[in-house]
């Protein structure tokens, strides 16, 4: 039974407002809010301004006093999520409703402020005595805390496709509600300003020395920080309880450029593919769209490739569509950008007002569309809009939402929809036992121990199972596996084995329709340690810019897609050690929703010394001794 999915609650924290009312007022006044970057370590960078959140306080949430010490991205997320839940008035206190409600959290940099402090402690030779902060260095920590505070008992996960993460989260949650797996979902994203993130974007020459003006001049982006959350419900549930309705999720599409770790495909092909898939999933034509909230970062490559992509999709009708970038008001809020911009579009649609690209003066070369310069204007026609979000690793997402809220009635029934059986047609695995399923099965049958190395922690040795590249490097010599981290290396080879075993046609056209859902347990990689340690050691003077794109978790899925040529329905998750299992269910949901016929679904991880705490190492040691007996 396919059910319609409605938006019934909104919450936001950003530089232009710490609640929906103040944010809506800033939008109506075409007001941007940027502040000067004053951290003395960052004064040598080109980027001088950011969309900082000011005067942040919790809105009378008594339980949160005990969490005031947490990473700022968690604090912003908790406030925005509680705002959305209160606005929707959903009955989470009811057990039956709570266990049918999910939580989908999105982030790009996650707990980067906490991670930076950790490496600063190490660099200053401080003993990191309290290993409890290990949990708070994980990208899924905010999701776990939100589920605890909101008492959500349904499916939960963290989406980490960098700057497209929260838009992807909306789409994935809406599929699960539409299929009746969940009744409701709390969906949102959060990211904060951090020195290491600014250093990376500055090193890529992507920052602006003044206030940004996407599609215009000056060239470059301003970082922002913030959090946005929405409540999604199936229509029948929302109507039965008389909920306030902000809009309806009509459909979404995802793709991967399979092109580069940080730069978009200049042709706009991958971005256009996401938009076309969103239109198809929504059963709409290009003529149905009246407004596009663009990704619009302000950089040369992003703005020009997105413009080309919109021309590819909408052809001549693009001249009739209003386009703007609300990053011109709040900055680029990374993983939270998509949902903040969705909320901005919903609020403007309700007021029949196109939000502007603030600061736009004249179009740059290659930017020749109607970007609603400087001040907004009346929103004529239907209130159906598209939101584009594009990211490092080539992850593209487009979602289509209707804010024509008078089109719902008790007479609307869920559509009957039959699903074909979904099967597993191939498996690929890389482990310390070697490459391929047969290697693991053989090791189990022979009861062989592949703990083949020692890891030293505080001077004590611990047995660990490492993958030896000599066992797997000859699988396919045509694969370009140079200059990638271990997790990407393992994932690429495992994915290649699965494709081969399934006898999937390995042609460019067929691979462009193959999807990929990939997960990692916590988000930390060796490259993160190398990049941030180097910054801290050199007082945030950047030495190795090539490491920056690789610290974003979805760089792993981006590498897999680029090497194998995968351009289909594509997402990266980070939900803990069970995340790979959750991926299987989410992949089934994606196929049922018609996004793809085939999807690679898997997980990858690498062994990192700094990811161990004394307690976890003790547990490993005990388990290894038990296995030896």
């Amino acid at each position: 039974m396919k059910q319609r999915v409605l938006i019934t609650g909104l919450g936001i924290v950003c530089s232009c407002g710490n609640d929906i009312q103040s944010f809506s007022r800033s939008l109506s006044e075409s007001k941007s809010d940027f502040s000067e970057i004053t951290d003395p370590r960052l004064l040598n960078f080109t980027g001088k301004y950011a969309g900082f959140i000011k005067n942040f306080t919790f809105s009378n949430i008594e339980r949160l006093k005990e969490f005031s010490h947490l990473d700022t991205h968690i604090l912003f997320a908790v406030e925005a999520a509680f705002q959305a839940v209160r606005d929707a008035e959903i009955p989470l206190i009811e057990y039956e409703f709570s266990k049918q409600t999910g939580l989908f959290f999105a982030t790009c940099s996650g707990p980067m402020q906490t991670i930076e402090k950790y490496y600063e402690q190490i660099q200053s030779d401080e003993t990191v005595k309290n290993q409890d902060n290990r949990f708070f260095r994980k990208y899924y920590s905010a999701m776990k805390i939100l589920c605890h505070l909101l008492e959500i008992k349904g499916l939960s996960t963290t989406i980490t496709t960098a700057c497209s993460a929260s838009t992807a989260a909306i789409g994935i949650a809406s599929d699960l509600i539409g299929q009746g797996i969940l009744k409701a979902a709390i969906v949102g994203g959060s990211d904060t300003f951090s020195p290491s993130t600014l250093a990376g974007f500055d090193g890529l020459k992507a920052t602006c020395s003044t206030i940004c003006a996407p599609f215009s001049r000056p060239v470059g982006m301003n970082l922002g920080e913030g959090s946005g959350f929405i409540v999604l419900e199936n229509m029948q549930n929302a109507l039965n309880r008389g909920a306030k309705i902000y809009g309806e999720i009509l459909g979404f599409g995802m793709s991967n450029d399979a092109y580069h770790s940080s730069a978009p495909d200049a042709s706009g092909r991958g971005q256009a593919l996401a938009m076309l898939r969103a239109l198809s999933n929504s059963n709409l034509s290009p003529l149905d769209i009246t407004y596009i909230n663009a990704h619009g970062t302000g950089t040369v490559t992003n703005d020009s490739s997105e413009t080309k992509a919109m021309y590819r999709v909408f052809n001549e009708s693009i001249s009739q569509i209003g386009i703007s970038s609300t990053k011109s008001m709040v900055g680029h809020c990374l993983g939270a950008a998509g949902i903040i911009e969705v909320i901005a579009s919903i609020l403007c649609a309700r007021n029949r007002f196109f939000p502007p690209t603030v600061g736009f003066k004249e179009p740059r070369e290659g930017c020749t569309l109607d970007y609603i310069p400087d001040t907004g204007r009346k929103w004529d026609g239907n209130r159906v809009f598209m939101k584009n979000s594009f990211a490092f690793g080539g992850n593209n997402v487009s979602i289509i939402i209707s804010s024509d809220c008078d089109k719902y009635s008790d007479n609307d029934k869920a559509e009957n929809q039959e699903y074909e059986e979904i099967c597993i047609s191939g498996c690929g695995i890389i482990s310390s036992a070697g490459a391929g399923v047969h290697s693991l099965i053989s090791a189990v049958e022979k009861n062989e121990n592949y703990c083949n190395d020692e890891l030293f922690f505080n001077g004590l040795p611990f047995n660990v199972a490492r993958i030896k590249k000599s066992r797997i490097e000859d699988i396919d010599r045509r694969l370009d596996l140079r200059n990638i981290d271990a997790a990407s290396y393992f994932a690429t080879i495992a994915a290649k084995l699965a494709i081969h075993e399934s006898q999937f046609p390995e042609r460019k056209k067929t691979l462009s329709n193959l999807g990929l859902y990939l997960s990692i347990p916590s988000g930390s990689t060796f490259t993160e340690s190398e990049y941030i340690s180097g910054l801290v050691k050199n007082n945030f003077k950047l030495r190795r810019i090539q490491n920056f794109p690789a610290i974003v978790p979805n760089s792993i899925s981006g590498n897999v897609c680029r090497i194998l040529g995968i351009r289909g329905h594509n997402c990266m998750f980070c939900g803990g050690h069970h995340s790979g299992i959750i991926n299987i269910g989410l992949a089934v949901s994606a196929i049922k929703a018609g996004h793809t016929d085939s999807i690679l679904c898997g997980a990858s991880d690498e062994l990192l010394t700094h990811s161990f705490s004394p307690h976890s190492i003790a547990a490993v040691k005990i388990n290894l001794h038990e296995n030896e007996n």
Side-chain angles (χ1 to χ4, degrees), residues 340-623:
I340 288 173
E341 291 153 17
V342 162
I343 292 170
S345 302
I346 289 170
L347 294 173
C348 289
R350 286 170 66 84
N351 294 325
R352 288 202 169 275
F353 171 78
F354 280 142
T357 304
V358 175
F360 188 101
K361 296 177 179 62
E362 58 181 5
R364 286 204 312 268
E365 183 180 353
C367 301
T368 55
L369 300 176
D370 174 14
Y371 304 108
I372 312 177
D374 209 30
T375 56
R377 62 172 181 258
K378 185 179 179 182
W379 187 321
D380 292 320
N382 68 50
R383 290 175 287 177
V384 176
F385 67 87
M386 174 182 283
K387 169 65 206 144
N388 290 334
S389 294
F390 311 132
F392 277 10
N395 283 103
N396 306 308
V397 184
S398 292
I399 195 163
I400 298 176
I401 296 172
S402 170
S403 285
D404 285 327
C405 300
D406 55 348
K407 295 185 176 180
Y408 314 111
S409 72
D410 291 316
N411 296 323
D412 285 312
K413 302 296 181 183
E415 300 174 14
N416 287 318
Q417 187 167 339
E418 294 186 6
Y419 302 114
E420 295 182 6
E421 292 184 2
I422 297 170
C423 64
I424 299 172
S425 58
C427 295
I429 188 168
I430 300 295
S431 71
S432 58
V437 175
H438 63 280
S439 297
L440 185 62
I441 292 174
S442 175
V444 172
E445 289 176 343
K446 295 176 183 178
N447 197 27
E448 295 176 336
N449 187 339
Y450 282 91
C451 294
N452 49 26
D453 203 351
E454 284 188 336
L455 173 73
F456 285 86
F457 186 86
N458 288 345
L460 299 175
F462 295 89
N463 294 328
V464 295
R466 292 191 186 275
I467 296 173
K468 292 185 176 180
K469 287 189 177 182
S470 60
R471 291 177 173 268
I472 60 178
E473 61 187 3
D474 291 329
I475 287 176
D476 191 335
R477 289 189 175 273
R478 295 170 298 177
L479 298 179
D480 184 2
L481 299 171
R482 295 171 297 174
N483 302 318
I484 59 174
D485 61 331
S488 297
Y489 189 99
F490 303 149
T492 302
I493 295 177
K496 179 70 174 181
L497 288 171
I499 292 171
H500 183 72
E501 186 180 84
S502 69
Q503 299 183 354
F504 191 88
E506 296 184 51
R507 298 188 296 273
K508 186 175 181 180
K509 185 175 181 180
T510 52
L511 287 172
S512 69
N513 291 317
L514 179 63
L516 174 67
Y517 271 19
L518 185 63
S519 73
I520 52 176
S522 60
S524 180
T525 65
F526 175 77
T527 310
E528 173 194 278
S529 173
E530 191 176 44
Y531 172 72
I532 300 176
S533 294
L535 281 176
V536 170
K537 182 178 180 180
N538 295 300
N539 198 29
F540 283 85
K541 290 181 173 62
L542 191 63
R543 299 289 174 87
R544 291 175 59 84
I545 184 56
Q546 60 267 38
N547 284 340
F548 172 60
I551 74 167
V552 182
N554 72 308
S555 64
I556 300 171
S557 63
N559 285 330
V560 175
C561 289
R562 176 178 53 80
I563 295 168
L564 299 181
I566 295 169
R567 293 179 168 83
H569 194 75
N570 193 278
C571 199
M572 185 85 189
F573 303 87
C574 180
H577 295 289
H578 62 293
S579 190
I581 300 298
I582 291 177
N583 273 7
I584 297 174
L586 296 177
V588 169
S589 174
I591 294 172
K592 285 182 176 180
H595 296 296
T596 181
D597 293 326
S598 306
I599 191 164
L600 277 167
C601 180
S604 182
D605 200 9
E606 59 181 313
L607 186 59
L608 302 169
T609 306
H610 70 267
S611 69
F612 280 77
S613 69
H615 298 299
S616 66
I617 287 185
V620 170
K621 188 70 173 175
I622 291 168
N623 289 336

Side-chain angles (χ1 to χ4, degrees), residues 252-271:
F252 77 108
M254 298 199 290
S255 72
N256 194 286
D257 283 352
Y259 177 74
H260 191 270
S261 61
S262 59
D265 183 346
S267 71
R269 289 187 184 91
Q271 298 169 356

Side-chain angles (χ1 to χ4, degrees), residues 136-155:
F136 296 109
R137 299 198 308 272
K138 304 304 181 185
Y139 279 65
Y140 60 70
S141 56
M143 177 266 290
K144 299 284 188 183
I145 289 172
L146 285 167
C147 284
H148 168 69
L149 290 174
L150 294 168
E151 300 184 39
I152 290 174
K153 300 173 178 65
L155 187 150

